[in-house]
Amino acid sequence: MNMNRSQLLDWINQVSFAVTEMSLYLDTHSDDEDAMAIFEHYKEERKKALALYSANYSPLTLDTVTENNHWYWATDPWPWEGGYC
């Protein structure tokens, strides 16, 4: 992925939206195999995007904290604090 910080944040928001929407759909359509495949696809895309953001900038979620960036999540500016767009 060749994205700058702002583009990567936008992508994370997009795939996170897709994961949330698909999970809500699957709550009432749990036997829909196509929907489950879409959910799994975007769940993996989100996981990769969060890991990429964490590796290049700082973790956005606690599950993307690594040994090399374990305190950045608490000290770096959050995306909504500006400067990334």
Side-chain angles (χ1 to χ4, degrees):
M1 278 188 191
N2 290 331
M3 296 183 194
N4 64 35
R5 190 175 200 159
S6 178
Q7 291 169 325
L8 186 53
L9 278 173
D10 286 343
W11 177 241
I12 290 169
N13 284 333
Q14 291 170 30
V15 294
S16 294
F17 178 83
V19 168
T20 300
E21 289 298 307
M22 292 309 298
S23 69
L24 292 172
Y25 175 81
L26 287 165
D27 283 345
T28 57
H29 300 81
S30 58
D31 58 343
D32 187 333
E33 293 178 15
D34 291 335
M36 183 60 76
I38 293 168
F39 171 78
E40 290 297 330
H41 169 75
Y42 283 109
K43 186 175 79 169
E44 284 303 310
E45 288 295 314
R46 181 178 186 276
K47 184 178 174 181
K48 288 189 288 187
L50 285 170
L52 182 60
Y53 191 92
S54 179
N56 289 296
Y57 305 108
S58 63
L60 292 174
T61 61
L62 289 176
D63 59 325
T64 58
V65 174
T66 65
E67 185 176 310
N68 296 328
N69 66 11
H70 65 281
W71 290 114
Y72 296 152
W73 71 271
T75 59
D76 280 359
W78 288 92
W80 54 85
E81 292 178 325
Y84 300 137
C85 296

